[in-house]
Amino acid sequence: MSGERVRLFVKAQVLGYKRSKANQYCHTSLLKIDGVNTTKEADFYLGKRIAYIYKAKTQKKGSYFRAIWGRVTRAHGNVGTVRAKFLKNLPPSAMGGSVRVFMYPSRV
Amino acid sequence: GHVSCGLLSGLGHCWFALAGKRRGLAALKKKNGGKFPTHAKKVAPVAAATKAPRMYPADDVAKPLAVNIVRKPAKLRSSITPGTVLILLAGRFKGKRCICLGQLPSGLLLVTGPFKLNGVPVRRVSQAYVIATCTKVNMPSVDITKFSDSYFKAAESKRVKKGEKEFFDEPKEKKALPAEYIANQKALDAAILPALSAELKGYLSSRFTLRDGDRPHLMKF
């Protein structure tokens, strides 16, 4: 038995927003999913749900933790980066932070 | 003087070329002995004589369109069959490996631990929240007709709208699961457990987890 803690998500780093040199589009974030290095590998993660989890000062529904949910929308570039859209745009403080990419909705 | 086809290019073909194949209405007529072919005229049935209604609504009320929805259960992935071992991806039993019993008419999958091995009761789960492994159990033919969607609906307690009085009352105690459910679970497991090898039992008792360096997109489940 692996015990109480099971990890059923893949960690990903938030790289920033979709952007050109001088403009950024905050509605779409770029993520680097651990272990994904090509566009083909990123195919598995398309559509998967993502949660950006952060702590807040006040409790809501009995927890200090809060989440912003989103989904992987498409690959970005050739080296496995991925675009994601969240229900609410990610805050800029999330850049460089980590995010959880779940394995559902599953197509396996 | 041959008219260059360039002038008539808009027609697609050279008009002269089609002279031999008459396709126009004149040709149709000729084919059918001088008359156009017709269907027999449909005689509208004589409407029964009705009295004009006495009351009309003040405004013209739009009649909603008839709804002819036929709901089919969600298409089942080919990797999921009765007897497949599934990994649950979310919820209370995430990571647990359980056996698929079949698909319910609502489209959800019917699944059981078996309860004795991993605590997963007979439960409904959506396809999207499940990974189908290639491990299959030779399922003895189990009767799952009694586990229908309504069987599970009854288990969800009805949410009573809280009146003011109830708001201040103590929360109601959890209703114990009716003995019937427990008996059904036991019966189902008793039918399935003998079909499992000791190895498979150990497998079903364990949970799936990702570790550092694991890449689900490269895994063969």
Side-chain angles (χ1 to χ4, degrees):
Chain A
M1 275 279 263
S2 70
E4 266 286 328
R5 310 274 153 165
V6 283
R7 175 160 72 86
L8 286 165
F9 57 86
V10 182
K11 299 182 204 165
Q13 309 300 317
V14 179
L15 301 177
Y17 299 122
K18 172 175 169 233
R19 59 175 302 172
S20 54
K21 182 172 171 197
N23 294 326
Q24 65 183 11
Y25 303 96
C26 306
H27 48 66
T28 306
S29 297
L30 302 178
L31 307 180
K32 176 101 201 78
I33 306 179
D34 281 4
V36 176
N37 297 315
T38 61
T39 319
K40 197 153 178 289
E41 289 181 358
D43 268 348
F44 172 87
Y45 296 95
L46 297 186
K48 299 289 186 276
R49 300 191 66 200
I50 317 174
Y52 168 66
I53 295 175
Y54 59 103
K55 282 167 92 167
K57 203 140 181 245
T58 59
Q59 272 201 348
K60 289 235 167 150
K61 291 191 170 179
S63 168
Y64 289 103
F65 290 95
R66 300 190 194 168
I68 303 180
W69 286 92
R71 288 176 189 251
V72 174
T73 53
R74 51 178 286 190
H76 181 80
N78 295 321
V79 286
T81 315
V82 125
R83 295 189 201 177
K85 277 190 148 197
F86 290 80
L87 288 179
K88 293 272 178 181
N89 296 346
L90 282 189
S93 55
M95 286 197 215
S98 61
V99 120
R100 300 185 181 186
V101 179
F102 294 96
M103 302 213 281
Y104 54 81
S106 162
R107 285 175 283 140
V108 167
Chain B
H2 179 83
V3 180
S4 100
C5 271
L7 263 184
L8 301 167
S9 59
L11 288 178
H13 301 277
C14 207
W15 186 80
F16 305 109
L18 287 178
K21 304 179 185 177
R22 287 172 203 274
R23 292 184 189 167
L25 298 174
L28 260 184
K29 260 188 170 169
K30 202 170 182 197
K31 244 188 173 176
N32 290 284
K35 279 211 276 189
F36 288 121
T38 52
H39 294 291
K41 256 203 173 145
K42 275 202 202 127
V43 181
V46 179
T50 48
K51 271 170 109 173
R54 293 180 74 209
M55 308 294 276
Y56 286 99
D59 299 314
D60 277 331
V61 178
K63 218 171 128 189
L65 294 172
V67 172
N68 296 322
I69 299 176
V70 175
R71 294 203 187 274
K72 293 194 292 189
K75 187 153 169 236
L76 201 56
R77 269 181 260 150
S78 56
S79 51
I80 302 178
T81 61
T84 310
V85 173
L86 307 172
I87 302 175
L88 299 177
L89 293 174
R92 222 182 124 195
F93 302 105
K94 58 175 162 283
K96 300 242 178 184
R97 299 175 166 107
C98 53
I99 302 179
C100 173
L101 298 173
Q103 185 180 32
L104 295 170
S106 64
L108 300 172
L109 302 175
L110 189 66
V111 131
T112 184
F115 185 77
K116 194 154 193 252
L117 295 179
N118 51 24
V120 178
V122 170
R123 209 163 197 264
R124 295 185 297 173
V125 84
S126 164
Q127 270 189 79
Y129 290 81
V130 132
I131 286 184
T133 63
C134 50
T135 310
K136 306 228 190 277
V137 170
N138 245 329
M139 281 268 291
S141 56
V142 182
D143 176 31
I144 55 167
T145 49
K146 66 164 151 278
F147 301 112
S148 65
D149 289 302
S150 45
Y151 177 89
F152 295 101
K153 283 231 165 85
E156 298 162 24
S157 58
K158 287 210 184 94
R159 270 182 162 217
V160 179
K161 280 234 156 150
K162 282 191 183 154
E164 258 206 49
K165 174 179 171 293
E166 279 136 353
F167 195 77
F168 293 111
D169 272 355
E170 297 290 314
K172 291 209 179 100
E173 289 136 25
K174 260 177 104 168
K175 273 195 258 183
L177 203 56
E180 187 207 345
Y181 284 88
I182 301 177
N184 283 339
Q185 181 72 53
K186 286 216 170 107
L188 188 62
D189 287 355
I192 296 178
L193 279 171
L196 309 174
S197 64
E199 203 178 59
L200 202 54
K201 284 189 183 157
Y203 180 61
L204 291 172
S205 310
S206 65
R207 282 171 101 172
F208 174 83
T209 182
L210 289 174
R211 301 247 210 78
D212 275 353
D214 279 352
R215 303 179 186 197
H217 60 275
L218 296 175
M219 286 181 177
K220 167 120 176 69
F221 285 103

